[in-house]
Amino acid sequence: MTRKLVIDTDTAGDDTQALLMAALADSVDLEALTVVAGNVEFDYEVENAKYTLDMAGVADEVPVYEGSRSPLVKEFDHVDHVHGEGGLGGELFPETGIDSADGHAVDAIVAAARESPGEVTLACIGPLTNVALALRREPDLNDLLDEVWVMGGALATLGNDTPAAEFNFWVDPDAAKVVLNELDVTLVDWGLTLRQGTIGGARLDEFTEADTPYADFCAEITSHARAFSEERFGTDAATFPDTLTLACLVNPDLVEEAETYFVDVDEREGMTRGYSLIDELGITDGEPRTRVVESVDEAAFERMVGDMLVHADPERSV
Ligand code: BDR
Ligand code: CA
């Protein structure tokens, strides 16, 4: 059975690979994209999203709704220094000429949920501004949605944007707090990404040798990130947090261990802005409602990425 899917994205870097995975997988029906402020300047994100859909041959079927251009409350910085100017490696600046859909992303999320109660899965791979606003517009959002998957947080591990925080939660911690407090979320965090959602340069080069359009695109969007990784960590590799999230959603068998905990976010400005607390020992009286993905079948994940890039079919060996 195909599942209806809406993706909220700050399209740059591996968001593109996550979108490709969703567009190419037969088990999900990608209904819409909603764009949120995050990785790079907003208009670049919108074009990056449309370009990716176009590449997957679904730009006619999947509307792109523009959403929040800034977080709920706070100022933030883009991360072009990670993904390259524009977010696709630094040399690709699409101008697709494709129109955005009429209406605001927040309304689109609410409308999709109301139209098919209990049938729509929401995948959130950017800061959570649009989703928090959708919750304020439709307080029953949790009941109306099927599943909610979020990439964000750095659980009991160092952040990537600051020592305390992962980027998506750092950008809009107020929104992340609302979403984790009020929705039943399955969470893929930065720690899992480092443990099992990172692909080494040699493997990435193997994909590129296939010389397919998707593999070439992946090589392009990871070029800057690989250099960044080399400089910061001394390792030639690229992280795929958003792709890992979509892979688990598309193929739930990928998830080997998951536990439900109370997870909360520090929304205060300052050193711990965006810090994600996980109450692993049940010490607080916070309600455990966040399902945390703790380990995945890493080899199967890499296979899905390879099958997507080389054979245009992420579910080829699922
Ligand atoms: C997250 O931040 C972005 O740069 C990535 O697209 C991912 O969603 C990782 O911290
Ligand atoms: Ca993202």
Side-chain angles (χ1 to χ4, degrees):
M1 206 187 80
T2 52
R3 288 181 289 159
K4 297 180 198 294
L5 177 64
V6 173
I7 304 183
D8 190 66
T9 166
D10 57 336
T11 316
D14 102 298
D15 287 71
T16 60
Q17 305 303 296
L19 300 187
L20 273 186
M21 188 161 285
L24 296 173
D26 289 335
S27 61
V28 292
D29 181 9
L30 184 55
E31 294 222 316
L33 298 187
T34 55
V35 181
V36 66
N39 279 321
V40 294
E41 204 255 305
F42 190 83
D43 293 333
Y44 281 140
E45 294 181 355
V46 172
E47 270 304 309
N48 295 345
K50 292 172 180 171
Y51 180 82
T52 308
L53 293 180
D54 196 30
M55 172 169 266
V58 297
D60 289 345
E61 300 145 40
V62 182
V64 176
Y65 293 91
E66 299 183 20
S68 310
R69 288 175 172 258
S70 62
L72 294 181
V73 182
K74 294 180 170 62
E75 306 271 307
F76 78 112
D77 297 313
H78 299 300
V79 280
D80 301 69
H81 60 283
V82 180
H83 304 295
E85 195 195 342
L88 299 182
E91 288 183 21
L92 179 62
F93 300 92
E95 287 184 24
T96 60
I98 297 168
D99 290 332
S100 295
D102 290 337
H104 195 278
V106 172
D107 295 323
I109 293 170
V110 171
R114 284 180 181 156
E115 215 162 276
S116 311
E119 290 180 23
V120 175
T121 291
L122 182 62
C124 315
I125 55 174
L128 290 156
T129 320
N130 287 339
V131 186
L133 289 169
L135 249 169
R136 288 294 169 266
R137 189 155 292 203
E138 174 47 271
D140 291 334
L141 196 62
N142 195 51
D143 293 334
L144 289 171
L145 289 169
D146 182 11
E147 296 177 359
V148 181
W149 287 71
V150 170
M151 189 285 132
L155 301 174
T157 192
L158 289 177
N160 57 355
D161 199 53
T162 73
E166 176 278 334
F167 178 73
N168 290 339
F169 281 16
W170 179 85
V171 169
D172 199 339
D174 304 276
K177 190 177 183 70
V178 166
V179 168
L180 289 183
N181 286 189
E182 299 181 31
L183 291 176
D184 297 323
V185 161
T186 297
L187 191 64
V188 170
D189 85 309
W190 181 249
L192 180 69
T193 304
L194 289 181
R195 294 194 302 276
Q196 297 188 299
T198 300
I199 303 183
R203 189 91 175 95
L204 290 170
D205 290 340
E206 277 174 36
F207 300 148
T208 313
E209 276 161 26
D211 200 21
T212 65
Y214 296 136
D216 290 348
F217 183 44
C218 182
E220 176 122 31
I221 66 103
T222 49
S223 57
H224 201 278
R226 282 172 67 171
F228 177 80
S229 166
E230 186 85 63
E231 192 187 307
R232 179 167 285 185
F233 304 109
T235 324
D236 174 19
T239 55
F240 290 86
D242 299 341
T243 317
L244 178 61
T245 307
L246 263 296
C248 292
L249 185 163
V250 163
N251 174 19
D253 289 345
L254 219 53
V255 177
E256 290 186 331
E257 285 175 287
E259 284 284 338
T260 300
Y261 302 100
F262 171 61
V263 179
D264 206 351
V265 180
D266 189 347
E267 84 287 18
R268 295 170 298 179
E269 194 56 273
M271 212 186 267
T272 55
R273 167 178 168 168
Y275 169 77
S276 43
L277 173 145
I278 174 166
D279 186 7
E280 275 187 5
L281 302 178
I283 293 169
T284 72
D285 55 10
E287 182 201 350
R289 71 179 304 171
T290 302
R291 182 173 167 260
V292 176
V293 179
E294 297 183 313
S295 69
V296 298
D297 182 340
E298 190 175 352
F301 169 60
E302 277 199 19
R303 220 166 24 245
M304 283 180 78
V305 174
D307 284 341
M308 168 175 87
L309 299 178
V310 177
H311 303 286
D313 179 9
E315 294 166 307
R316 190 166 183 255
S317 57
V318 170

